[in-house]
Amino acid sequence: MSLFRRKSKLSEDTMVNGVKMITALHPKAIVSEQFRTIRTNIEFASVDTSIRTIMFTSADSSEGKSTVSANVSVTWAQQGRRVLFVDADLRRPTLHSTFGLQNTQGLTTLLTQNSVDEYEQFIHKSTIDNLFVLSSGPIPPNPAELLNSRRMDSFIEKVKKDYDMVVFDVPPMLTVSDAQLLTAKVDGVVLVVRFGVTQKAALSRTKELLDLAHANVLGYVMNDAAGDAEGSGYGYGYGYGYGYGKTDEKEEK
């Protein structure tokens, strides 16, 4: 597993400051339109099945999954859908920083109670119409066990009835087992790949893990593919499949 881990220290920026909500701040920007295109393509990928729960993950850390999941969640809310955005990254959470929330209670608090029936007390209404958020809560000693629990299953079933879309921001696939455990619990998975950063071997291994978990992979988001868009620091494209098998060795970072 160490083959795929970064040698440099992981950035703590998004954990402290949250992610950039370009779709909320500048909904008419070109980058916001690209996020809406991602939303539309996800809907096209799920045309034959009902997608109510979806998770965004990546091969490794700092590849943009939290930024993508947050902004796509906003575009669904702007579309008029009732959206619940859940921070299921119980090791490096970012949602509370993004939305300016206290993280003293959240998903971990809920999953350690006897029942998840009163889950609504942990849900926060964001400043964005139709968008509700559930932060991670205190970082627990047993994240994988909580996410793989029956209480998590019950929670997902309950929120599917109360929200049009439930979006989970989960840990990277290659760092811990948390994301792999959740793939069987959600309707679809989107993989975030950062251009020039995600290694071909890491991407290949991630795809293998998703296949082993029988994940319904809807596609991938190529993050930062177009470089700096209008000075915003974003560049996004959406595609189906992975294409890593055809990548030239010289392009691998």
Side-chain angles (χ1 to χ4, degrees):
M1 192 66 71
S2 60
L3 172 65
F4 305 117
R5 290 179 181 168
R6 301 192 189 287
K7 294 181 180 179
S8 59
K9 183 179 179 180
L10 294 174
S11 172
E12 302 293 327
D13 181 63
T14 56
M15 292 182 65
V16 176
N17 301 312
V19 302
K20 296 179 181 179
M21 302 290 287
I22 188 70
T23 47
L25 297 173
H26 305 288
K28 295 183 179 180
I30 293 176
V31 177
S32 295
E33 181 59 34
Q34 291 175 330
F35 278 116
R36 287 190 286 272
T37 299
I38 293 172
R39 177 199 68 197
T40 300
N41 285 337
I42 291 174
E43 292 170 352
F44 282 149
S46 58
V47 67
D48 292 329
T49 56
S50 175
I51 300 294
R52 301 288 297 277
T53 56
I54 186 171
M55 66 177 240
F56 287 79
T57 188
S58 59
D60 212 330
S61 301
S62 303
E63 294 182 355
K65 65 176 180 62
S66 296
T67 299
V68 174
S69 59
N71 280 280
V72 174
S73 295
V74 171
T75 66
W76 268 312
Q78 290 171 335
Q79 196 182 38
R81 298 196 183 188
R82 183 176 166 87
V83 180
L84 176 61
F85 184 31
V86 181
D87 195 343
D89 189 338
L90 305 185
R91 300 170 192 266
R92 291 172 54 83
T94 61
L95 185 149
H96 62 287
S97 297
T98 299
F99 290 92
L101 302 173
Q102 294 292 327
N103 201 28
T104 54
Q105 291 187 322
L107 181 60
T108 57
T109 318
L110 174 65
L111 296 179
T112 53
Q113 293 191 339
N114 293 328
S115 171
V116 297
D117 290 342
E118 304 298 325
Y119 77 88
E120 291 182 351
Q121 64 180 300
F122 301 104
I123 303 295
H124 297 270
K125 175 70 174 72
S126 77
T127 57
I128 301 166
D129 289 343
N130 304 313
L131 182 61
F132 300 81
V133 295
L134 175 61
S135 64
S136 69
I139 296 176
N142 57 339
E145 287 78 6
L146 287 178
L147 294 175
N148 198 37
S149 66
R150 292 184 179 179
R151 290 174 188 168
M152 186 66 180
D153 294 338
S154 298
F155 167 70
I156 293 175
E157 289 304 312
K158 287 183 179 298
V159 294
K160 284 175 67 173
K161 297 176 182 178
D162 295 335
Y163 294 88
D164 299 316
M165 291 295 301
V166 183
V167 181
F168 294 91
D169 179 17
V170 304
M173 291 290 295
L174 299 182
T175 55
V176 290
S177 63
D178 304 13
Q180 191 175 2
L181 294 172
L182 276 179
T183 55
K185 302 178 185 293
V186 297
D187 299 327
V189 178
V190 174
L191 180 63
V192 177
V193 180
R194 188 172 182 182
F195 182 78
V197 173
T198 305
Q199 297 180 359
K200 185 173 72 172
L203 185 57
S204 178
R205 177 57 181 160
T206 298
K207 181 59 166 58
E208 290 176 1
L209 292 175
L210 289 170
D211 288 342
L212 286 172
H214 303 291
N216 179 24
V217 182
L218 301 176
Y220 68 89
V221 175
M222 180 63 74
N223 176 25
D224 209 21
D228 190 5
E230 289 192 336
S232 65
Y234 292 98
Y236 296 92
Y238 189 88
Y240 299 99
Y242 293 84
Y244 54 81
K246 297 181 181 179
T247 304
D248 191 286
E249 290 294 336
K250 293 189 230 178
E251 296 177 355
E252 181 180 343
K253 183 170 181 179

